[in-house]
Amino acid sequence: QGVTYVVEVSVKSSAVREIRARLTDSAGQNTVSRVLQVGTTWTVISFDTIQFVTVPSVELGLDLGRSEASVWFDNVIVREAPG
């Protein structure tokens, strides 16, 4: 049994592109990684993930890759899913 978390972020870019969102545990291991499509208007992107490993903390990484497009983030939330 794991704990389900919701990752949610408002995002837009100066050009359509992909970014990668990842959660990394305190040992430096990626526990989840998602490729997200980003457009030129503000959009709320969210995904659920189940964390099976009990760790004291996780870090959210937003990898932009090598694109020259600017990316803006707002309202970044990682929370335990209800239920």
Side-chain angles (χ1 to χ4, degrees):
Q1 299 267 351
V3 177
T4 301
Y5 290 93
V6 177
V7 177
E8 184 176 287
V9 60
S10 297
V11 62
K12 79 172 188 172
S13 178
S14 61
V16 175
R17 58 168 298 159
E18 292 180 343
I19 63 168
R20 181 178 305 273
R22 62 181 165 74
L23 293 177
T24 304
D25 66 19
S26 56
Q29 299 297 310
N30 284 344
T31 59
V32 67
S33 180
R34 298 278 193 281
V35 174
L36 308 171
Q37 299 296 320
V38 178
T40 58
T41 59
W42 282 106
T43 305
V44 176
I45 297 174
S46 69
F47 63 89
D48 294 353
T49 180
I50 299 174
Q51 298 293 290
F52 291 103
V53 179
T54 302
V55 293
S57 65
V58 294
E59 180 179 286
L60 173 64
L62 298 167
D63 300 328
L64 304 180
R66 297 178 185 235
S67 172
E68 293 183 15
S70 297
V71 180
W72 296 270
F73 298 99
D74 199 5
N75 301 320
V76 178
I77 300 168
V78 179
R79 61 178 165 79
E80 192 170 333

Coordinates of all heavy atoms in Angstrom, one line a residue:
Q1 N 0.8 -1.2 0.0 CA 0.0 0.0 0.0 C 0.9 1.2 0.0 O 1.8 1.3 0.7 CB -0.9 0.0 1.2 CG -1.9 -1.1 1.3 CD -3.2 -0.8 0.7 OE1 -3.5 0.3 0.3 NE2 -4.0 -1.8 0.5
G2 N 0.5 2.2 -0.8 CA 1.3 3.4 -0.9 C 0.4 4.6 -0.6 O -0.8 4.4 -0.3
V3 N 0.9 5.8 -0.6 CA 0.2 7.0 -0.4 C 0.1 7.7 -1.8 O 1.0 7.8 -2.5 CB 0.9 7.9 0.6 CG1 0.2 9.2 0.7 CG2 1.1 7.2 1.9
T4 N -1.2 8.1 -2.1 CA -1.4 8.8 -3.4 C -1.3 10.3 -3.2 O -1.9 10.8 -2.3 CB -2.8 8.4 -3.9 OG1 -2.9 7.0 -4.1 CG2 -3.0 9.1 -5.3
Y5 N -0.5 10.9 -4.1 CA -0.3 12.3 -4.0 C -0.8 12.9 -5.4 O -0.7 12.3 -6.4 CB 1.2 12.7 -3.9 CG 1.7 12.4 -2.5 CD1 2.3 11.2 -2.2 CD2 1.5 13.3 -1.4 CE1 2.8 10.9 -0.9 CE2 2.0 13.0 -0.2 CZ 2.6 11.8 0.1 OH 3.0 11.5 1.3
V6 N -1.2 14.2 -5.3 CA -1.6 14.9 -6.5 C -0.5 16.0 -6.7 O -0.2 16.8 -5.8 CB -3.0 15.6 -6.4 CG1 -3.3 16.4 -7.6 CG2 -4.0 14.5 -6.1
V7 N 0.0 16.1 -7.9 CA 1.0 17.1 -8.3 C 0.2 18.0 -9.2 O -0.4 17.6 -10.2 CB 2.2 16.6 -9.0 CG1 3.1 17.7 -9.4 CG2 3.0 15.6 -8.1
E8 N 0.2 19.3 -8.9 CA -0.6 20.3 -9.7 C 0.2 21.5 -9.9 O 0.9 22.0 -9.0 CB -1.9 20.6 -9.0 CG -2.8 21.5 -9.7 CD -4.1 21.7 -8.9 OE1 -4.9 20.7 -8.9 OE2 -4.3 22.8 -8.4
V9 N 0.2 22.1 -11.2 CA 1.0 23.3 -11.5 C 0.3 24.0 -12.6 O -0.2 23.4 -13.5 CB 2.5 22.9 -11.8 CG1 2.6 22.0 -13.0 CG2 3.3 24.2 -12.0
S10 N 0.3 25.4 -12.5 CA -0.2 26.2 -13.6 C 1.1 26.6 -14.4 O 2.1 26.9 -13.8 CB -0.8 27.5 -13.0 OG -1.9 27.2 -12.3
V11 N 1.0 26.5 -15.7 CA 2.2 26.6 -16.5 C 1.8 27.2 -17.9 O 0.7 26.9 -18.4 CB 3.0 25.3 -16.6 CG1 2.1 24.2 -17.3 CG2 4.3 25.5 -17.3
K12 N 2.7 28.0 -18.4 CA 2.6 28.4 -19.8 C 4.0 28.6 -20.4 O 5.0 28.8 -19.6 CB 1.7 29.7 -20.0 CG 2.4 31.0 -19.7 CD 1.5 32.1 -20.1 CE 2.3 33.4 -19.9 NZ 1.5 34.5 -20.5
S13 N 4.1 28.6 -21.7 CA 5.4 28.8 -22.3 C 5.3 29.8 -23.5 O 4.2 30.0 -24.0 CB 5.9 27.4 -22.9 OG 7.1 27.5 -23.5
S14 N 6.4 30.3 -23.9 CA 6.4 31.2 -25.1 C 6.3 30.4 -26.4 O 6.0 31.0 -27.4 CB 7.7 32.0 -25.1 OG 8.9 31.2 -25.2
A15 N 6.4 29.1 -26.3 CA 6.2 28.2 -27.5 C 5.7 26.9 -27.0 O 6.1 26.5 -25.9 CB 7.5 28.1 -28.3
V16 N 5.0 26.2 -27.8 CA 4.5 24.8 -27.4 C 5.7 23.9 -27.2 O 6.6 23.9 -28.1 CB 3.6 24.3 -28.5 CG1 3.2 22.8 -28.2 CG2 2.3 25.1 -28.6
R17 N 5.7 23.2 -26.1 CA 6.9 22.4 -25.8 C 6.5 21.3 -24.8 O 5.4 21.3 -24.3 CB 8.0 23.2 -25.3 CG 7.6 24.0 -24.1 CD 8.7 24.7 -23.4 NE 9.6 23.7 -22.9 CZ 10.9 23.9 -22.6 NH1 11.4 25.0 -22.7 NH2 11.6 22.9 -22.1
E18 N 7.5 20.5 -24.5 CA 7.4 19.5 -23.4 C 8.3 19.9 -22.2 O 9.3 20.4 -22.4 CB 7.8 18.1 -23.9 CG 6.9 17.5 -24.9 CD 7.3 16.1 -25.4 OE1 8.5 15.7 -25.1 OE2 6.5 15.4 -26.0
I19 N 7.8 19.5 -21.0 CA 8.7 19.6 -19.8 C 8.5 18.3 -19.1 O 7.6 17.5 -19.4 CB 8.3 20.8 -18.9 CG1 6.9 20.6 -18.4 CG2 8.5 22.1 -19.6 CD1 6.6 21.6 -17.2
R20 N 9.4 18.0 -18.2 CA 9.4 16.8 -17.4 C 9.2 17.2 -15.9 O 10.0 18.0 -15.4 CB 10.6 16.0 -17.6 CG 10.6 14.7 -16.8 CD 11.8 13.8 -17.0 NE 12.0 13.5 -18.4 CZ 11.5 12.5 -19.1 NH1 10.7 11.7 -18.5 NH2 11.7 12.4 -20.4
A21 N 8.2 16.6 -15.3 CA 8.0 16.8 -13.8 C 8.5 15.5 -13.2 O 8.1 14.4 -13.6 CB 6.6 17.1 -13.5
R22 N 9.2 15.6 -12.1 CA 9.7 14.4 -11.4 C 9.7 14.6 -9.9 O 9.8 15.8 -9.4 CB 11.0 14.0 -11.9 CG 12.1 15.0 -11.6 CD 13.5 14.6 -12.2 NE 14.4 15.7 -12.2 CZ 14.9 16.3 -11.2 NH1 14.7 15.8 -9.9 NH2 15.7 17.3 -11.3
L23 N 9.5 13.6 -9.2 CA 9.6 13.6 -7.7 C 10.8 12.7 -7.4 O 11.0 11.6 -7.9 CB 8.4 13.0 -7.0 CG 7.1 13.8 -7.2 CD1 5.9 13.1 -6.5 CD2 7.2 15.2 -6.6
T24 N 11.7 13.3 -6.6 CA 12.9 12.6 -6.2 C 12.9 12.5 -4.6 O 12.6 13.4 -3.9 CB 14.2 13.5 -6.6 OG1 14.1 13.7 -8.0 CG2 15.5 12.7 -6.3
D25 N 13.2 11.3 -4.2 CA 13.2 11.0 -2.7 C 14.5 11.6 -2.1 O 15.5 12.0 -2.8 CB 13.0 9.6 -2.4 CG 14.1 8.6 -2.8 OD1 15.2 9.1 -3.0 OD2 13.8 7.4 -2.9
S26 N 14.6 11.5 -0.8 CA 15.8 12.0 0.0 C 17.1 11.3 -0.3 O 18.1 11.8 0.0 CB 15.5 12.1 1.5 OG 15.1 10.8 1.9
A27 N 17.0 10.1 -0.9 CA 18.2 9.3 -1.3 C 18.6 9.7 -2.7 O 19.6 9.1 -3.2 CB 17.9 7.8 -1.2
G28 N 17.9 10.6 -3.4 CA 18.3 11.0 -4.7 C 17.7 10.1 -5.9 O 18.0 10.3 -7.0
Q29 N 16.7 9.3 -5.5 CA 16.1 8.4 -6.5 C 14.8 9.0 -7.1 O 14.0 9.4 -6.3 CB 15.8 7.0 -5.9 CG 17.1 6.3 -5.5 CD 18.0 6.0 -6.6 OE1 17.6 5.4 -7.6 NE2 19.3 6.3 -6.4
N30 N 14.7 9.0 -8.4 CA 13.4 9.5 -8.9 C 12.3 8.4 -8.6 O 12.5 7.3 -8.9 CB 13.5 9.6 -10.5 CG 14.2 10.9 -10.9 OD1 14.4 11.8 -10.1 ND2 14.6 10.9 -12.1
T31 N 11.2 8.9 -8.0 CA 10.1 8.0 -7.7 C 9.0 8.1 -8.7 O 8.2 7.2 -8.8 CB 9.6 8.3 -6.3 OG1 9.1 9.7 -6.2 CG2 10.6 8.1 -5.2
V32 N 9.0 9.2 -9.5 CA 8.0 9.3 -10.5 C 8.5 10.4 -11.5 O 9.2 11.3 -11.1 CB 6.6 9.7 -10.0 CG1 6.6 11.1 -9.4 CG2 5.5 9.6 -11.1
S33 N 8.2 10.2 -12.8 CA 8.6 11.1 -13.8 C 7.5 11.2 -14.9 O 7.0 10.1 -15.3 CB 9.9 10.7 -14.4 OG 10.3 11.6 -15.4
R34 N 7.1 12.4 -15.2 CA 6.0 12.5 -16.2 C 6.5 13.6 -17.3 O 7.0 14.6 -16.9 CB 4.7 13.0 -15.6 CG 4.1 12.1 -14.6 CD 3.3 11.0 -15.3 NE 2.4 10.3 -14.4 CZ 2.8 9.3 -13.5 NH1 4.1 9.0 -13.5 NH2 2.0 8.7 -12.7
V35 N 6.2 13.3 -18.5 CA 6.4 14.3 -19.6 C 5.1 15.0 -19.8 O 4.0 14.4 -20.0 CB 6.9 13.7 -20.9 CG1 7.0 14.7 -22.0 CG2 8.2 13.0 -20.7
L36 N 5.1 16.4 -19.7 CA 3.9 17.2 -19.8 C 4.0 18.1 -21.0 O 5.0 18.7 -21.3 CB 3.8 18.0 -18.5 CG 3.8 17.2 -17.2 CD1 3.9 18.2 -16.0 CD2 2.7 16.3 -17.0
Q37 N 2.8 18.2 -21.7 CA 2.7 19.2 -22.8 C 2.4 20.5 -22.3 O 1.4 20.7 -21.5 CB 1.7 18.7 -23.8 CG 2.0 17.3 -24.4 CD 3.2 17.3 -25.2 OE1 3.5 18.2 -26.0 NE2 4.0 16.2 -25.1
V38 N 3.1 21.6 -22.7 CA 2.9 22.9 -22.3 C 2.6 23.8 -23.5 O 3.3 23.7 -24.5 CB 4.1 23.5 -21.5 CG1 3.9 24.9 -21.1 CG2 4.4 22.6 -20.3
G39 N 1.5 24.6 -23.4 CA 1.2 25.5 -24.5 C 1.5 27.0 -24.2 O 2.1 27.3 -23.2
T40 N 0.9 27.8 -25.0 CA 1.2 29.3 -24.8 C 0.2 30.0 -24.0 O 0.3 31.3 -23.9 CB 1.3 29.9 -26.2 OG1 0.1 29.7 -26.9 CG2 2.5 29.3 -27.0
T41 N -0.8 29.4 -23.4 CA -1.7 30.0 -22.5 C -1.6 29.3 -21.2 O -1.2 28.1 -21.1 CB -3.2 29.9 -23.0 OG1 -3.5 28.5 -23.2 CG2 -3.3 30.6 -24.4
W42 N -2.0 30.0 -20.1 CA -2.0 29.4 -18.8 C -2.9 28.1 -18.7 O -4.0 28.2 -19.1 CB -2.4 30.4 -17.7 CG -1.4 31.4 -17.4 CD1 -1.3 32.7 -17.7 CD2 -0.2 31.1 -16.6 NE1 -0.2 33.3 -17.2 CE2 0.5 32.3 -16.5 CE3 0.3 30.0 -16.0 CZ2 1.7 32.5 -15.8 CZ3 1.5 30.1 -15.3 CH2 2.2 31.3 -15.2
T43 N -2.3 27.0 -18.3 CA -3.0 25.8 -18.2 C -2.7 25.1 -16.8 O -1.5 25.2 -16.4 CB -2.6 24.8 -19.3 OG1 -2.8 25.5 -20.5 CG2 -3.4 23.5 -19.3
V44 N -3.6 24.5 -16.2 CA -3.4 23.8 -15.0 C -3.1 22.3 -15.4 O -4.0 21.7 -16.0 CB -4.5 23.8 -14.0 CG1 -4.2 22.9 -12.8 CG2 -4.7 25.3 -13.5
I45 N -2.0 21.8 -15.0 CA -1.6 20.4 -15.3 C -1.5 19.7 -14.0 O -0.9 20.2 -13.0 CB -0.2 20.3 -16.1 CG1 -0.3 21.0 -17.4 CG2 0.2 18.9 -16.2 CD1 1.0 21.1 -18.1
S46 N -2.1 18.5 -14.0 CA -2.0 17.7 -12.7 C -1.9 16.2 -13.0 O -2.4 15.8 -14.1 CB -3.2 18.0 -11.8 OG -4.4 17.5 -12.3
F47 N -1.3 15.5 -12.1 CA -1.3 14.1 -12.2 C -1.2 13.5 -10.8 O -0.7 14.1 -9.9 CB -0.1 13.6 -13.1 CG 1.3 13.9 -12.6 CD1 1.9 13.1 -11.8 CD2 1.9 15.1 -13.0 CE1 3.2 13.4 -11.3 CE2 3.1 15.4 -12.6 CZ 3.8 14.6 -11.7
D48 N -1.7 12.3 -10.7 CA -1.6 11.5 -9.4 C -0.4 10.6 -9.5 O -0.1 10.1 -10.6 CB -2.9 10.7 -9.2 CG -4.1 11.5 -9.0 OD1 -4.0 12.7 -8.9 OD2 -5.2 10.9 -9.0
T49 N 0.1 10.3 -8.3 CA 1.2 9.4 -8.2 C 1.1 8.6 -6.9 O 0.7 9.2 -5.9 CB 2.6 10.0 -8.4 OG1 3.6 9.0 -8.3 CG2 2.8 11.1 -7.4
I50 N 1.4 7.4 -6.9 CA 1.5 6.6 -5.7 C 2.9 6.4 -5.2 O 3.7 6.0 -6.0 CB 0.8 5.2 -5.8 CG1 -0.7 5.4 -6.2 CG2 0.9 4.4 -4.6 CD1 -1.4 4.1 -6.6
Q51 N 3.2 6.9 -4.0 CA 4.5 6.7 -3.5 C 4.5 5.5 -2.6 O 3.8 5.5 -1.5 CB 4.9 8.0 -2.7 CG 5.0 9.2 -3.5 CD 6.1 9.2 -4.5 OE1 7.3 9.3 -4.1 NE2 5.8 9.1 -5.8
F52 N 5.3 4.5 -2.9 CA 5.3 3.2 -2.2 C 6.4 3.2 -1.1 O 6.4 2.4 -0.2 CB 5.5 2.0 -3.1 CG 4.4 1.8 -4.0 CD1 4.4 2.2 -5.4 CD2 3.2 1.2 -3.5 CE1 3.3 1.9 -6.2 CE2 2.1 0.9 -4.3 CZ 2.2 1.3 -5.7
V53 N 7.4 4.1 -1.3 CA 8.5 4.1 -0.3 C 8.2 5.2 0.7 O 7.9 6.3 0.4 CB 9.8 4.4 -1.1 CG1 11.0 4.5 -0.1 CG2 10.0 3.3 -2.1
T54 N 8.4 4.9 2.0 CA 8.3 5.9 3.0 C 9.6 6.6 3.2 O 10.6 6.1 3.5 CB 7.9 5.2 4.4 OG1 6.7 4.4 4.2 CG2 7.7 6.2 5.4
V55 N 9.5 7.9 2.8 CA 10.7 8.8 3.0 C 10.3 10.0 3.7 O 9.1 10.5 3.6 CB 11.3 9.1 1.6 CG1 11.9 7.9 0.9 CG2 10.3 9.8 0.7
P56 N 11.2 10.7 4.3 CA 10.9 11.9 5.1 C 10.5 13.1 4.2 O 9.8 14.0 4.6 CB 12.1 12.2 5.9 CG 13.2 11.5 5.2 CD 12.6 10.3 4.5
S57 N 11.0 13.1 3.0 CA 10.7 14.2 2.1 C 10.9 13.8 0.6 O 11.6 12.9 0.3 CB 11.5 15.4 2.4 OG 12.9 15.1 2.1
V58 N 10.2 14.5 -0.3 CA 10.5 14.4 -1.7 C 10.7 15.8 -2.3 O 10.2 16.8 -1.7 CB 9.3 13.6 -2.5 CG1 9.2 12.2 -2.0 CG2 8.0 14.4 -2.3
E59 N 11.3 15.8 -3.4 CA 11.6 17.1 -4.1 C 10.9 17.0 -5.4 O 11.0 16.0 -6.2 CB 13.1 17.2 -4.2 CG 13.6 18.5 -4.9 CD 15.1 18.5 -5.0 OE1 15.7 18.7 -4.0 OE2 15.6 18.3 -6.1
L60 N 10.2 18.1 -5.8 CA 9.6 18.2 -7.1 C 10.6 18.9 -8.0 O 11.1 20.0 -7.7 CB 8.3 19.1 -7.0 CG 7.7 19.4 -8.4 CD1 7.2 18.1 -9.1 CD2 6.5 20.4 -8.2
G61 N 10.9 18.3 -9.1 CA 11.8 18.9 -10.1 C 11.0 19.2 -11.4 O 10.2 18.3 -11.8
L62 N 11.2 20.3 -12.0 CA 10.6 20.7 -13.3 C 11.7 20.9 -14.3 O 12.4 21.9 -14.3 CB 9.7 21.9 -13.1 CG 8.6 21.7 -12.1 CD1 7.9 23.1 -11.8 CD2 7.5 20.8 -12.7
D63 N 11.9 19.9 -15.1 CA 13.0 19.9 -16.1 C 12.6 20.5 -17.4 O 11.6 20.1 -18.0 CB 13.6 18.5 -16.3 CG 14.0 17.8 -15.0 OD1 14.6 18.5 -14.1 OD2 13.9 16.6 -14.9
L64 N 13.3 21.5 -17.8 CA 13.0 22.3 -19.0 C 13.6 21.8 -20.3 O 13.3 22.2 -21.4 CB 13.2 23.7 -18.8 CG 12.6 24.4 -17.6 CD1 12.9 25.8 -17.5 CD2 11.1 24.2 -17.6
G65 N 14.7 21.0 -20.2 CA 15.3 20.5 -21.3 C 16.1 21.6 -22.0 O 16.5 22.5 -21.4
R66 N 16.3 21.4 -23.3 CA 17.2 22.4 -24.1 C 16.5 23.4 -24.9 O 17.1 24.0 -25.7 CB 18.1 21.5 -24.9 CG 19.0 20.7 -24.1 CD 19.9 19.8 -25.0 NE 20.6 18.9 -24.2 CZ 22.0 18.8 -24.3 NH1 22.6 19.6 -25.1 NH2 22.6 18.0 -23.5
S67 N 15.2 23.5 -24.7 CA 14.4 24.5 -25.5 C 14.8 25.9 -25.1 O 15.1 26.2 -24.0 CB 12.9 24.3 -25.3 OG 12.2 25.3 -25.9
E68 N 14.8 26.8 -26.1 CA 15.0 28.2 -25.8 C 13.7 29.0 -25.4 O 13.8 30.1 -25.1 CB 15.7 28.9 -27.0 CG 17.1 28.4 -27.2 CD 17.8 29.1 -28.4 OE1 17.3 30.1 -28.8 OE2 18.8 28.5 -28.8
A69 N 12.6 28.3 -25.4 CA 11.3 28.9 -25.0 C 11.3 29.2 -23.5 O 11.8 28.4 -22.7 CB 10.2 28.0 -25.4
S70 N 10.8 30.3 -23.2 CA 10.6 30.7 -21.8 C 9.4 29.9 -21.2 O 8.4 29.7 -21.9 CB 10.3 32.2 -21.6 OG 11.4 32.9 -22.1
V71 N 9.5 29.6 -19.9 CA 8.4 28.8 -19.3 C 8.1 29.5 -17.9 O 9.0 29.9 -17.2 CB 8.8 27.4 -19.0 CG1 7.6 26.6 -18.3 CG2 9.1 26.7 -20.3
W72 N 6.8 29.7 -17.6 CA 6.4 30.3 -16.4 C 5.6 29.3 -15.6 O 4.7 28.6 -16.2 CB 5.5 31.6 -16.7 CG 6.3 32.6 -17.4 CD1 7.0 33.7 -16.8 CD2 6.4 32.8 -18.8 NE1 7.5 34.5 -17.7 CE2 7.2 34.0 -19.0 CE3 5.9 32.1 -19.9 CZ2 7.5 34.5 -20.2 CZ3 6.2 32.6 -21.1 CH2 7.0 33.8 -21.3
F73 N 5.8 29.3 -14.3 CA 5.1 28.4 -13.4 C 4.4 29.2 -12.3 O 4.9 30.2 -11.9 CB 6.0 27.4 -12.7 CG 6.8 26.5 -13.6 CD1 8.1 26.7 -14.0 CD2 6.1 25.3 -14.1 CE1 8.7 25.9 -14.9 CE2 6.8 24.5 -15.0 CZ 8.1 24.8 -15.3
D74 N 3.2 28.7 -11.8 CA 2.5 29.4 -10.7 C 1.7 28.3 -10.0 O 1.4 27.3 -10.6 CB 1.6 30.5 -11.3 CG 1.2 31.5 -10.2 OD1 1.7 31.4 -9.1 OD2 0.4 32.4 -10.5
N75 N 1.4 28.6 -8.8 CA 0.5 27.7 -8.0 C 1.0 26.2 -8.0 O 0.2 25.3 -8.3 CB -0.9 27.8 -8.5 CG -1.5 29.2 -8.4 OD1 -1.2 29.9 -7.4 ND2 -2.2 29.6 -9.4
V76 N 2.2 26.0 -7.7 CA 2.8 24.6 -7.6 C 2.3 24.0 -6.3 O 2.6 24.5 -5.2 CB 4.3 24.7 -7.8 CG1 4.9 23.3 -7.7 CG2 4.7 25.4 -9.0
I77 N 1.7 22.8 -6.5 CA 1.1 22.1 -5.3 C 1.5 20.6 -5.4 O 1.3 20.0 -6.4 CB -0.4 22.3 -5.2 CG1 -0.8 23.8 -5.1 CG2 -1.0 21.5 -4.0 CD1 -2.2 24.1 -5.3
V78 N 1.9 20.1 -4.3 CA 2.0 18.6 -4.1 C 1.3 18.3 -2.8 O 1.7 18.8 -1.8 CB 3.5 18.2 -4.0 CG1 3.6 16.7 -3.8 CG2 4.3 18.6 -5.3
R79 N 0.2 17.5 -2.9 CA -0.6 17.3 -1.7 C -1.1 15.8 -1.7 O -1.1 15.2 -2.8 CB -1.8 18.2 -1.7 CG -2.7 18.0 -2.9 CD -3.9 19.0 -2.8 NE -4.6 19.1 -4.1 CZ -5.5 18.2 -4.6 NH1 -5.7 17.1 -3.9 NH2 -6.0 18.3 -5.7
E80 N -1.4 15.3 -0.6 CA -1.9 14.0 -0.4 C -3.3 14.0 -1.0 O -4.1 14.9 -0.7 CB -1.9 13.6 1.0 CG -2.2 12.1 1.2 CD -2.0 11.6 2.6 OE1 -1.2 12.2 3.3 OE2 -2.6 10.6 3.0
A81 N -3.6 13.0 -1.8 CA -5.0 12.9 -2.4 C -6.0 12.6 -1.3 O -5.7 11.9 -0.4 CB -5.0 11.8 -3.5
P82 N -7.2 13.2 -1.5 CA -8.3 12.9 -0.5 C -8.7 11.4 -0.6 O -8.6 10.8 -1.7 CB -9.4 13.8 -0.9 CG -9.1 14.2 -2.3 CD -7.6 14.1 -2.5
G83 N -9.2 10.9 0.5 CA -9.7 9.6 0.4 C -9.0 8.6 1.2 O -8.9 7.5 1.4

